[in-house]
Amino acid sequence: MDWASILYLGVTFGLFAVFALIVVRTYNKKSKDRNESAKYRMLDDD
């Protein structure tokens, strides 16, 4: 493998790791409760 292939694989796995981190943080129960509270607060103002 040449350096371009290694760099390409590194970037690909790096992007996959970032995507997995975003998914885990989005669907975390504690985070979900905090994110949803703003929606219900906005609905209460009406």
Side-chain angles (χ1 to χ4, degrees):
M1 291 176 93
D2 57 344
W3 285 109
S5 299
I6 294 170
L7 181 64
Y8 181 78
L9 282 175
V11 169
T12 302
F13 286 130
L15 287 175
F16 178 75
V18 168
F19 175 72
L21 181 68
I22 290 171
V23 169
V24 167
R25 285 183 53 104
T26 300
Y27 290 105
N28 188 4
K29 176 70 174 148
K30 182 179 172 185
S31 177
K32 187 176 180 183
D33 289 342
R34 186 177 63 234
N35 290 340
E36 292 292 319
S37 67
K39 177 175 71 174
Y40 293 120
R41 221 181 3 213
M42 184 177 68
L43 290 174
D44 289 340
D45 288 343
D46 288 338

